[in-house]
């Protein structure tokens, strides 16, 4: 069973950049597809990005394509999310998640087996 701990959240202004990290422990990190999700106040959790076990294949929500980049370092057991051009509506708690299933990196939360506690991102004007 893998444990996930997110970090890197904070308060930024609209248009700024932020990089989130997710440190994994207790499992073979490279055996999991990894994803980022977010949940804004009063809204359902939504998919942001996912990456394959090797890091070669990625999947993004349309709303973040071209601005966010997901990556992983299997040697460091760490997942990253580089967020550029942040928007006010992207204020949310950001979660990383691990998927032990096979197939391409998925965008639906039900596929993911393990979740971190989340890190808060606040985008101000």
């Amino acid at each position: 069973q893998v444990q996930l701990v997110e970090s890197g959240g904070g308060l930024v202004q609209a248009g700024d950049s932020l990089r989130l990290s997710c440190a994994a422990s207790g499992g073979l990190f490279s055996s999991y597809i990894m994803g980022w999700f977010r949940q804004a106040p009063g809204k359902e959790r939504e998919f942001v990005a996912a990456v394959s076990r090797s890091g070669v294949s990625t999947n993004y929500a349309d709303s973040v394509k071209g601005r966010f980049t997901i990556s992983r370092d299997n040697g460091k057991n760490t997942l990253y999310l580089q967020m550029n051009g942040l928007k006010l509506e992207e204020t949310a708690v950001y979660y990383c998640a691990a998927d032990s299933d096979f197939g391409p990196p998925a965008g639906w939360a039900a596929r993911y087996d393990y979740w971190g506690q989340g890190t808060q991102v606040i985008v101000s004007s």
Side-chain angles (χ1 to χ4, degrees), residues 8-26:
L11 174 64
V12 296
Q13 290 190 323
D16 283 353
S17 298
L18 201 61
R19 189 175 84 155
L20 305 182
S21 299
C22 172
S25 62

Side-chain angles (χ1 to χ4, degrees), residues 3 5-7 11 18 21 24 27 30 40 44 46 58 70 76-77 80 83 91 93 100 102 104 108 111 114 118 120:
Q3 289 83 44
V5 179
E6 302 93 337
S7 62
L11 174 64
L18 201 61
S21 299
S30 60
E44 293 188 354
E46 67 171 353
T58 57
I70 189 172
K76 295 182 177 179
N77 293 341
Y80 302 101
M83 305 185 292
T91 291
V93 177
S100 60
F102 294 98
W108 53 92
R111 269 275 300 266
Y114 306 103
Q120 176 76 57

